[in-house]
């Protein structure tokens, strides 16, 4: 690692950027950056800032670092950064009533494509 890279890493870390993102920005391997921080303990700041409002957050040793100061800030941030949301929980399912294929987000146990199909299936059972 060159001196220029070390300076860049220190500058990014001082801004509160985590090692994973530093790795992506600089192109240096994540393991290299982590080992650099282990050797230089003073590089890991004791506090980071809320991504939404900038309020200083304190970290607890042994726990995952927080990104937001409260639920309100978390919701505001993700609602304004929808392009960064990683939506991987889409499931392709088949409606039990009409047989139509539909996408369900976050629920792979869904049985019906709509409330109408659910209601119609209830009426069939009662007859």
């Amino acid at each position: 690692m060159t001196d220029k890279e070390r300076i860049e890493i220190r500058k990014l870390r001082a801004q509160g950027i985590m090692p994973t993102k530093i790795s992506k920005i600089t192109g240096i391997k994540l393991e290299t950056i982590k080992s650099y921080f282990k050797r230089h303990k003073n590089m890991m700041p004791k506090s980071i800032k809320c991504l939404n409002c900038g309020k200083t957050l304190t970290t607890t040793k042994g726990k995952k670092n927080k990104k937001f100061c409260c639920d309100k800030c978390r919701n505001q941030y993700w609602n304004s950064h929808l392009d960064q949301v990683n939506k991987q929980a889409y499931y392709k399912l088949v409606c039990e009533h009409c047989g139509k294929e539909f996408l369900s987000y976050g629920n792979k146990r869904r049985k019906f494509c709509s409330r109408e199909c659910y209601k119609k299936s209830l009426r069939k059972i009662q007859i």
Side-chain angles (χ1 to χ4, degrees):
M1 186 182 316
T2 65
D3 288 335
K4 189 176 181 181
E5 290 173 332
R6 287 185 188 100
I7 292 168
E8 181 71 16
I9 289 171
R10 286 186 201 135
K11 187 172 77 173
L12 291 170
R13 191 62 192 135
Q15 294 172 7
I17 299 173
M18 300 307 289
T20 310
K21 201 164 189 177
I22 292 173
S23 172
K24 289 178 183 175
I25 293 169
T26 60
I28 301 170
K29 289 183 181 180
L30 177 61
E31 293 79 21
T32 307
I33 292 170
K34 283 184 176 180
S35 65
Y36 179 76
F37 287 144
K38 283 180 185 176
R39 288 190 313 271
H40 301 88
K41 299 266 186 209
N42 60 343
M43 291 296 298
M44 297 299 280
K46 301 290 183 232
S47 63
I48 54 174
K49 296 184 181 199
C50 174
L51 291 177
N52 190 50
C53 67
K55 181 179 173 183
T56 302
L57 306 171
T58 55
T59 58
T60 307
K61 188 176 180 178
K63 291 194 175 187
K64 185 176 178 182
N65 290 335
K66 291 183 177 182
K67 293 181 180 182
F68 306 100
C69 60
C70 62
D71 285 338
K72 183 180 174 185
C73 276
R74 180 178 51 83
N75 288 328
Q76 283 178 351
Y77 179 83
W78 288 118
N79 284 333
S80 63
H81 294 85
L82 291 173
D83 57 319
Q84 295 177 9
V85 177
N86 188 8
K87 294 184 177 183
Q88 292 182 340
Y90 279 109
Y91 301 100
K92 241 183 208 181
L93 304 170
V94 177
C95 179
E96 286 186 6
H97 178 72
C98 66
K100 185 175 90 175
E101 196 173 89
F102 66 98
L103 284 177
S104 172
Y105 180 71
N107 185 357
K108 60 183 169 189
R109 292 181 280 157
R110 228 171 109 180
K111 297 178 181 180
F112 303 100
C113 63
S114 64
R115 288 183 181 262
E116 289 76 30
C117 279
Y118 170 69
K119 290 174 186 175
K120 289 175 185 175
S121 73
L122 287 178
R123 283 188 215 124
K124 278 187 175 181
I125 294 171
Q126 293 175 354
I127 295 175

